């Protein structure tokens, strides 16, 4: 473990014994660092490969380099343990002959039995993504070309597309797994979440073969392996994969061992980024941010006068974007533009100006759009302005799920969200007072549904359409295929949505910060002298 990591653990242990103000100050610094770990740096692309010094250092050395450069300060034991696991994996990969990770030998699984990956899990804002990116960006070029870093949303969409292309083959799952391993035997996934039975079983079956072929997985998730696809339909078919995942990966929790002392969402703390890490040489043109010009404190507005404030903010972000693109300030805002998405469909953008788009909430989340559709939109749009984001409950769970998918994709791409909310962004998700935990039975959830609708649940001895007995809610039969307004899959989806809501709320807090806004504008390409990109 690097000196910085040892110091971190010492400070955390000392805090348990109440060593006074000095230790408290050190722990406060640790909290500020962990927030920085939870957020990519603003002066460099943490997923790019531009910092050559990192190739020699590895994730632990890169961590300490940033500490000594004043870019991040402090840390905690859980993050140090994760860095150690990632460093060990990197060292093992470098200890192998790089040619051992090519198509010619990828099927020789016996030589890779000790090549375990790393699975990082923990609560929101614990720095999982930043730590994984430290591993990925510090791989030397010979290994880096065999590694791939991708968001789990994108990966699953790609898997379904690949399997569709290989339909008719004798074993399409093995073919897809071998194709992946032959190009990228080291796979880095951010935000592993399994929300439906199709994704769960595809992930299980493909990665059983990936591991057989000697592939390596580095992943982050809010869920431990045991919590993946918890409460899902036919979960018994998925359960054997949990042991396989644990055998193939070193599983590291970023939660505190006591479940309390360090389980802090660092995105909710003040961002501490120093020097060039926070303000790049390009930021002189953006010292006065559009939010300040519009007279608001954040790009995420929750005041009573949200419409007027959002109108002003929309005007300012469009003006800033035009300035950076070097176009005439009189450039017209296009109405009703259409962007092609999957399966020959189109999404209408009501207002479009350069990299800026404006939607009502119903226009972007009220329609049946998937994560892949939002991903396509984010290829074309950098600034999403959304009017009237409501409160979310089980009554509008479909819209909540789409909004969570949208925020995940915008956060992953470091895009800018400009929006008006019905409440503070971190307070928009509300569950009913009754417990609807993952351990809750389908029968109890159906019963509550019937009670909410004023119906009584009954179980009759006569056989129904799906079994030897019949469960009814009111006069309607309940079955695995569902009933009007509620199916098993919908109940499972509701559980998933509201488990993911804490991550979404955490990300919204960060995305609404001045640091995030400044970082966004500093990262955009702009026109310099003579109309050429600067």
């Amino acid at each position: 473990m690097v000196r910085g990591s040892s110091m971190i653990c010492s400070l955390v242990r000392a805090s348990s014994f109440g060593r006074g103000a000095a230790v408290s100050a050190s722990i406060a610094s640790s909290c500020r660092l962990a927030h920085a770990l939870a957020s990519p740096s603003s002066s460099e692309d943490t997923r790019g490969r531009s910092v050559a010094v990192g190739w020699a250092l590895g994730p632990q050395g890169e961590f300490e380099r940033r500490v000594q450069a004043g870019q991040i300060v402090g840390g905690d034991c859980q993050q140090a343990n994760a860095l150690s696991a990632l460093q060990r994996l990197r060292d093992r990969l470098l200890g192998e002959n790089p040619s051992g990770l090519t198509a010619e030998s990828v099927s020789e699984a016996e030589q890779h039995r000790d090549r375990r990956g790393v699975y990082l899990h923990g609560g929101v804002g614990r720095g999982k993504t930043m730590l994984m990116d430290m591993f990925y960006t510090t791989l030397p070029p010979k290994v880096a070309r065999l590694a791939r870093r991708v968001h789990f949303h994108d990966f699953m969409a790609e898997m379904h597309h690949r399997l569709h292309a290989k339909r008719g083959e004798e074993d399409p799952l093995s073919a897809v797994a071998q194709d992946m391993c032959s190009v990228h035997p080291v796979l880095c996934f951010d935000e592993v979440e399994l929300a439906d039975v199709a994704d769960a079983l595809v992930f299980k079956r493909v990665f059983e073969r990936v591991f057989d072929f000697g592939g390596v997985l580095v992943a982050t998730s809010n869920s431990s392996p045991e919590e993946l696809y918890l409460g899902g339909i036919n979960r018994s078919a998925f359960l054997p994969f949990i042991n396989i995942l644990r055998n193939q990966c070193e599983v590291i929790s970023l939660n505190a061992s006591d479940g309390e002392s360090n389980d802090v969402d660092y995105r909710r703390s003040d961002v501490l980024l120093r020097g060039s890490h926070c303000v790049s040489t390009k930021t002189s043109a953006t010292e006065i941010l559009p939010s300040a010009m519009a007279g608001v404190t954040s790009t995420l507005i929750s005041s009573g006068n949200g419409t007027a404030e959002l109108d002003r903010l929309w005007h300012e972000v469009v003006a800033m974007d035009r300035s950076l693109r070097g176009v005439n300030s009189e450039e017209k805002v296009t109405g009703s533009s259409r962007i092609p998405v999957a399966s020959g469909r189109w999404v209408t953008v009501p207002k479009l100006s350069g990299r800026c788009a404006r939607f009502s909430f119903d226009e972007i989340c009220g329609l049946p759009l998937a994560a892949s559709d939002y991903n396509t939109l984010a290829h074309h749009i950098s600034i999403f302005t959304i009017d009237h984001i409501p409160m979310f409950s089980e009554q509008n769970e479909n819209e909540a799920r789409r909004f969570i998918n949208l925020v995940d994709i915008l956060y992953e791409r470091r895009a800018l969200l400009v929006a008006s909310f019905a409440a503070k962004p971190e307070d928009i998700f509300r569950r009913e007072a009754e417990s609807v935990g993952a351990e809750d039975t389908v029968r109890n959830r159906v019963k509550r549904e019937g009670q909410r609708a004023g119906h009584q649940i009954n179980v009759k001895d006569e056989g129904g359409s799906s079994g030897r007995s019949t469960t009814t809610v009111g006069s309607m039969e309940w079955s695995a295929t569902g009933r009007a307004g509620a199916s098993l899959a919908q109940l499972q989806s509701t559980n998933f949505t509201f488990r993911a809501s804490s991550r979404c709320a955490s990300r919204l807090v960060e995305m609404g910060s001045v640091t995030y806004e400044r970082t966004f504008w500093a990262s955009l390409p702009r026109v310099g002298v003579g109309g050429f990109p600067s």
Side-chain angles (χ1 to χ4, degrees):
M1 187 179 293
V2 295
R3 295 190 307 276
S5 300
S6 300
M7 176 190 69
I8 291 164
C9 289
S10 298
L11 288 174
V12 173
R13 284 193 294 269
S15 68
S16 301
F17 299 97
R19 300 282 180 127
V23 171
S24 297
S26 298
I27 298 301
S29 295
S30 298
C31 291
R32 288 193 293 270
L33 158 72
H35 176 80
L37 281 174
S39 309
S41 66
S42 57
S43 64
E44 60 185 334
D45 179 0
T46 60
R47 294 163 199 147
R49 313 208 58 82
S50 58
V51 185
V53 66
W55 298 343
L57 294 174
Q60 284 186 325
E62 174 65 8
F63 170 82
E64 188 165 353
R65 182 191 70 79
R66 295 189 190 185
V67 171
Q68 293 180 353
Q71 296 172 352
I72 54 178
V73 184
D76 61 44
C77 275
Q78 288 72 37
Q79 291 161 344
N81 290 339
L83 283 166
S84 295
L86 293 167
Q87 185 73 38
R88 285 193 295 272
L89 173 58
R90 180 182 185 273
D91 292 345
R92 286 198 300 271
L93 292 174
L94 297 186
E96 297 178 11
N97 183 342
S99 64
L101 295 172
T102 63
E104 288 75 15
S105 64
V106 74
S107 61
E108 299 173 13
E110 288 300 324
Q111 65 179 311
H112 306 310
R113 291 302 183 191
D114 62 342
R115 191 198 290 158
R116 298 178 72 208
V118 176
Y119 183 99
L120 304 179
H121 70 93
V124 297
R126 295 294 298 149
K128 301 179 293 292
T129 298
M130 185 68 172
L131 294 172
M132 182 182 73
D133 286 336
M134 282 185 176
F135 165 81
Y136 175 72
T137 59
T138 59
L139 291 173
K142 286 185 178 181
V143 177
R145 64 184 175 82
L146 301 173
R148 182 186 180 198
R149 195 266 191 211
V150 63
H151 193 276
F152 196 65
H153 273 317
D154 298 340
F155 173 77
M156 289 311 304
E158 179 185 320
M159 285 301 96
H160 289 295
H161 178 77
R162 287 191 180 200
L163 288 170
H164 180 74
K166 290 185 178 293
R167 66 190 186 283
E169 294 191 15
E170 182 178 353
D171 189 354
L173 291 162
S174 290
V176 167
Q178 189 159 17
D179 286 350
M180 284 194 306
C181 285
S182 66
V183 180
H184 297 115
V186 180
L187 293 164
C188 301
F189 292 156
D190 192 29
E191 298 293 353
V192 173
E193 292 287 356
L194 297 170
D196 62 67
V197 65
D199 282 354
L201 295 183
V202 166
F203 182 62
K204 169 186 180 291
R205 291 169 181 170
V206 168
F207 265 83
E208 285 172 344
R209 301 302 293 142
V210 166
F211 292 141
D212 286 342
F213 291 137
V216 176
L217 174 65
V218 179
T220 73
S221 178
N222 292 134
S223 304
S224 69
E226 289 73 19
E227 294 169 329
L228 287 174
Y229 195 51
L230 195 61
I233 297 171
N234 293 334
R235 189 171 186 256
S236 58
F238 178 80
L239 286 176
F241 183 67
I242 293 174
N243 286 334
I244 294 173
L245 186 60
R246 278 200 167 271
N247 289 335
Q248 293 292 334
C249 294
E250 186 173 358
V251 177
I252 305 291
S253 172
L254 286 168
N255 293 328
S257 58
D258 61 9
E260 297 178 0
S261 62
N262 284 330
D263 287 350
V264 176
D265 178 353
Y266 295 110
R267 295 190 187 102
R268 296 176 187 265
S269 305
D270 291 334
V271 179
L272 181 63
L273 297 172
R274 298 178 178 174
S276 62
H277 186 69
C278 181
V279 183
S280 76
T281 57
K282 296 180 180 179
T283 56
S284 58
T286 61
E287 288 178 355
I288 302 178
L289 298 171
S291 59
M293 295 291 289
V296 296
T297 58
S298 171
T299 60
L300 307 184
I301 299 166
S302 57
S303 66
N305 196 25
T307 300
E309 291 177 341
L310 194 66
D311 287 342
R312 294 199 304 270
L313 192 49
W314 163 255
H315 174 79
E316 295 298 339
V317 296
V318 167
M320 175 69 82
D321 178 56
R322 287 172 176 169
S323 173
L324 296 179
R325 289 187 293 117
V327 302
N328 191 302
S329 60
E330 301 301 318
E331 178 188 61
K332 290 184 179 180
V333 175
T334 304
S336 296
S337 300
R338 298 205 308 161
I339 293 178
V341 293
S343 303
R345 297 176 297 114
W346 298 77
V347 173
T348 298
V349 181
K351 292 183 179 180
L352 184 65
S353 174
R355 295 172 285 206
C356 309
R358 186 167 183 175
F359 304 84
S360 70
F361 177 79
D362 287 341
E363 289 164 338
I364 189 73
C365 294
L367 300 175
L369 299 179
S372 58
D373 299 325
Y374 294 131
N375 198 34
T376 300
L377 289 177
H379 275 293
H380 299 273
I381 301 166
S382 299
I383 302 162
F384 284 71
T385 301
I386 304 175
D387 292 80
H388 307 304
I389 295 172
M391 299 287 292
F392 295 113
S393 70
E394 292 171 351
Q395 303 307 311
N396 58 352
E397 185 270 334
N398 284 331
E399 291 83 356
R401 177 164 23 91
R402 294 180 196 124
F403 181 68
I404 289 170
N405 285 340
L406 175 62
V407 169
D408 280 346
I409 286 164
L410 298 187
Y411 184 85
E412 169 76 7
R413 292 183 169 276
R414 312 309 290 176
L416 187 66
L417 176 62
V418 177
S420 60
F421 289 79
K424 291 182 179 179
E426 60 267 38
D427 296 331
I428 59 174
F429 294 97
R430 296 286 175 85
R431 298 282 329 240
E432 296 183 19
E434 61 211 10
S435 171
V436 191
E439 74 287 350
D440 203 11
T441 65
V442 170
R443 175 69 57 82
N444 287 339
R445 284 179 273 167
V446 177
K447 184 176 181 179
R448 280 195 304 272
E449 251 196 16
Q451 289 170 342
R452 281 197 293 272
H455 299 306
Q456 178 67 36
I457 184 168
N458 295 292
V459 180
K460 302 177 182 179
D461 291 334
E462 305 101 42
S465 61
S466 60
R468 289 187 295 271
S469 62
T470 307
T471 301
T472 62
V473 180
S475 61
M476 292 176 288
E477 179 187 345
W478 176 272
S479 74
T481 59
R483 65 173 177 82
S487 68
L488 288 172
Q490 285 173 317
L491 288 174
Q492 173 195 328
S493 177
T494 298
N495 265 358
F496 169 78
T497 297
F498 286 92
R499 283 200 301 269
S501 64
S502 59
R503 179 181 73 242
C504 181
S506 169
R507 289 180 165 182
L508 287 172
V509 169
E510 182 182 347
M511 293 170 78
S513 69
V514 171
T515 299
Y516 187 97
E517 184 185 0
R518 181 181 293 115
T519 299
F520 169 79
W521 291 111
S523 69
L524 288 184
R526 62 208 64 215
V527 174
V529 178
F532 295 99
S534 59

